[in-house]
Amino acid sequence: MQILKDKIRQEGKVLSDNVLKVDSFLNHQIDPTLMKEIGEEFAERFRNSTITKILSIESSGIAPATMTGLALGVPVIFARKRKSLTLSDDLYTASVYSYTKKESNDISISKDFIHDDDTVLIIDDFLANGQAAFGLMKIVEQTGASLAGIGIVIEKGFQPGGKLIRDRGIRVESLTTIRSLQNGIVEFFEEVHA
Ligand code: 5GP
């Protein structure tokens, strides 16, 4: 998605060989016009999948997920991050390991919002090692719903998450895929993965 690549080139800050900061339009300040286009692009790519719910994770997945829900005309649920594992009959819960924070957190959603007759599209801001996506996939599994695929705003193609998920036969649509952040320079793959 060219407009997204341009924005990353203009405003993205390479913090290390592994981390890209995009606080000016996605992770802190949000560019609503760009988010709208992102939502429409995901909606277009998954138009034929008869999505009934979008599932994301707080907080940075919420903006692109909401715009996708708006474009597809379906509700958006975001998983909440919870520090400790407190079993509750009313929740679907999964554990997510964060390589950046070096800790595991539980994420959960209420059982009220996704059911076994739903078709779910997962949306998140970044795909790196895939832990957040796997956590969301575990939640979808528990609901009994079908998973249509995963939409990612920025995939870091040099980290293993995308391959691990695609190897399971799951459709991953990334709007932009980064080949490398080495030497402070953002390099993109020319084509996004299908
Ligand atoms: P994963 O679970 O795939 O390793 O990482 C996914 C989550 O980590 C994303 O939802 C995002 O919040 C965060 N993340 C991973 N890599 C980056 C990065 O380079 N920049 C930013 N801003 N967030 C990242």
Side-chain angles (χ1 to χ4, degrees):
M1 192 182 180
Q2 194 56 45
I3 170 184
L4 178 61
K5 281 186 187 174
D6 292 344
K7 192 78 167 175
I8 294 170
R9 281 210 181 90
Q10 284 157 14
E11 298 184 18
K13 293 194 171 69
V14 179
L15 292 193
S16 70
D17 285 357
N18 286 322
V19 180
L20 175 69
K21 193 172 173 182
V22 287
D23 273 13
S24 70
F25 62 92
L26 181 57
N27 289 151
H28 191 15
Q29 175 172 260
I30 289 169
D31 179 336
T33 308
L34 178 63
M35 285 310 130
K36 186 162 175 282
E37 298 215 22
I38 283 172
E40 285 164 359
E41 178 70 25
F42 281 134
E44 193 53 41
R45 293 190 191 199
F46 286 95
R47 186 74 68 191
N48 295 327
S49 301
T50 51
I51 310 291
T52 60
K53 300 278 165 66
I54 310 269
L55 176 62
S56 189
I57 180 167
E58 66 180 359
S59 54
S60 295
I62 296 176
T66 303
M67 290 306 188
T68 309
L70 183 65
L72 287 171
V74 300
V76 178
I77 299 101
F78 62 89
R80 295 194 155 145
K81 294 174 180 165
R82 301 153 74 239
K83 272 271 171 238
S84 64
L85 193 137
T86 321
L87 288 176
S88 159
D89 285 347
D90 305 327
L91 300 174
Y92 295 118
T93 299
S95 179
V96 171
Y97 180 75
S98 163
Y99 282 92
T100 28
K101 291 179 191 152
K102 307 246 182 306
E103 61 181 26
S104 284
N105 279 302
D106 286 341
I107 60 168
S108 58
I109 67 161
S110 162
K111 287 185 178 174
D112 289 342
F113 301 124
I114 300 184
H115 304 107
D116 58 6
D117 56 352
D118 277 313
T119 301
V120 177
L121 169 61
I122 291 173
I123 298 280
D124 203 5
D125 60 342
F126 272 88
L127 177 59
N129 292 292
Q131 297 299 307
F134 275 113
L136 291 169
M137 283 159 53
K138 276 184 243 160
I139 285 184
V140 174
E141 244 174 71
Q142 291 170 52
T143 67
S146 313
L147 177 64
I150 303 184
I152 296 291
V153 179
I154 303 172
E155 176 176 347
K156 291 186 292 180
F158 55 88
Q159 289 180 295
K163 182 174 175 354
L164 290 172
I165 297 168
R166 290 184 181 95
D167 281 352
R168 291 195 174 192
I170 291 158
R171 180 177 175 198
V172 181
E173 289 284 339
S174 297
L175 301 188
T176 182
T177 305
I178 292 175
R179 183 201 293 269
S180 160
L181 293 173
Q182 278 176 11
N183 306 314
I185 295 163
V186 185
E187 270 184 47
F188 296 100
F189 280 110
E190 278 319 305
E191 293 297 324
V192 294
H193 295 276

